[in-house]
């Protein structure tokens, strides 16, 4: 089973920020947190990963709490194409996918 | 932008037949993986491969499965004698390094249907 806990689903208005939380309270000190997403019928897509510091790339931002027990993936301006299942995974290597969060972006 | 490719996109086979699923990882990647996703279920890890050998495999990856990197560019998954329950989407992935430094990049998948 996955070592992370995510809400089952979330809705977000198009153009607004989508904030997807993840709990990973059992994470070890040197284990990274990875975020992937899977758009319907496609392969999983790597989004971002981090260890301690907040990270940002062209797709998203990742905010990790100081105690590293939780993190939030932020899609700053969600579009309809961001509708997908989002997975928070730790550690890397052999990826263990949980059920993820179904994000529905609505116009 | 480089991407992982997989062939065929769809494969239909009879139970008991052998199938080979093919993948071309991103060229500078060193770690290769196979995952599968049965319809409506979670993505499941099958096997990881590095330096021409299996580095880790799951319980699903039994003696009916094998992987190979025959020519330095292709990465294949062979199912020797397919069963009905092997019907799934099979994803290949590759990464520059293993956990900690980079993400895994997935191909579009091969949909396998065993009749």
């Amino acid at each position: 089973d996955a070592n992370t806990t995510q809400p089952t689903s979330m809705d977000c208005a198009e153009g607004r920020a989508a904030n997807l939380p993840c709990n990973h309270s059992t994470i070890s000190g040197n284990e990274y947190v990875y975020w992937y997403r899977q758009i319907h019928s496609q392969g999983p897509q790597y989004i971002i990963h981090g260890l301690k510091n907040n990270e940002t790339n062209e797709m998203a931002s990742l905010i990790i709490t100081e105690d590293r027990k939780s993190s939030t993936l932020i899609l700053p301006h969600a579009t309809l194409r961001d509708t997908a299942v989002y997975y928070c995974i730790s550690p890397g290597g052999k990826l263990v996918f949980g059920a993820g969060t179904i994000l529905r972006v609505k116009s | 932008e480089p991407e992982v490719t997989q062939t065929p996109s769809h494969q239909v086979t009879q139970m008991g037949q052998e199938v080979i699923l093919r993948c071309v990882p991103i060229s500078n990647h060193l770690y290769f993986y196979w995952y599968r996703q049965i319809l409506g279920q979670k993505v499941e890890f099958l096997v990881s491969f590095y330096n021409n050998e299996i580095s880790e495999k799951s319980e699903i990856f039994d003696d009916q499965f094998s992987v190979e990197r025959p020519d330095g560019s292709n990465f294949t998954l062979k199912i020797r004698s397919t069963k009905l329950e092997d019907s799934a989407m099979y994803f290949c992935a590759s990464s520059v390094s293993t956990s900690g430094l980079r993400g895994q990049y997935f191909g579009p998948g091969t949909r396998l249907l065993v009749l």
Side-chain angles (χ1 to χ4, degrees):
Chain A
D1 287 340
N3 297 324
T4 61
T5 306
Q6 299 177 252
T8 303
S9 65
M10 295 180 65
D11 290 342
C12 177
E14 189 179 18
R16 304 300 293 266
N19 297 281
L20 293 98
C22 176
N23 287 321
H24 33 80
S25 57
T26 60
I27 195 172
S28 298
N30 61 349
E31 290 176 340
Y32 283 72
V33 177
Y34 292 80
W35 283 82
Y36 289 80
R37 73 180 183 183
Q38 189 174 26
I39 296 169
H40 182 61
S41 297
Q42 297 183 22
Q45 180 187 22
Y46 164 74
I47 301 173
I48 199 168
H49 73 285
L51 182 63
K52 295 180 184 177
N53 300 320
N54 298 338
E55 302 287 346
T56 295
N57 63 19
E58 65 279 4
M59 289 184 69
S61 294
L62 176 60
I63 309 297
I64 303 173
T65 58
E66 197 167 330
D67 63 9
R68 302 212 329 119
K69 292 186 176 181
S70 65
S71 60
T72 300
L73 179 75
I74 301 172
L75 308 178
H77 305 287
T79 70
L80 297 177
R81 287 177 296 181
D82 291 321
T83 293
V85 182
Y86 286 77
Y87 301 97
C88 166
I89 299 174
S90 183
K94 175 184 85 173
L95 297 178
V96 178
F97 288 82
T101 295
I102 301 169
L103 176 68
R104 288 180 283 256
V105 181
K106 300 183 175 181
S107 58
Chain B
E1 184 175 322
E3 56 184 23
V4 176
T5 59
Q6 291 186 242
T7 55
S9 58
H10 294 78
Q11 174 95 44
V12 180
T13 190
Q14 295 291 323
M15 188 171 57
Q17 294 295 305
E18 174 184 286
V19 295
I20 298 176
L21 309 182
R22 291 182 168 79
C23 168
V24 179
I26 294 172
S27 62
N28 65 332
H29 285 188
L30 302 175
Y31 295 80
F32 314 110
Y33 312 83
W34 283 101
Y35 294 80
R36 78 172 187 189
Q37 187 173 30
I38 295 170
L39 188 63
Q41 298 187 23
K42 300 174 186 177
V43 177
E44 300 174 288
F45 168 80
L46 292 178
V47 66
S48 58
F49 191 85
Y50 169 70
N51 200 25
N52 279 321
E53 59 183 31
I54 291 173
S55 45
E56 191 168 2
K57 60 183 180 180
S58 72
E59 295 173 350
I60 304 167
F61 195 88
D62 61 21
D63 292 343
Q64 295 299 313
F65 292 87
S66 62
V67 289
E68 193 178 30
R69 189 155 160 80
D71 56 14
S73 62
N74 290 285
F75 179 51
T76 62
L77 174 69
K78 181 191 292 186
I79 308 175
R80 191 179 3 254
S81 176
T82 50
K83 308 185 190 75
L84 296 176
E85 54 265 36
D86 293 328
S87 295
M89 189 74 126
Y90 287 81
F91 296 108
C92 171
S94 68
S95 64
V96 168
S97 69
T98 189
S99 62
L101 297 178
R102 294 288 187 274
Q104 294 179 24
Y105 291 82
F106 284 74
T110 293
R111 186 173 297 281
L112 176 67
L113 178 61
V114 182
L115 302 176

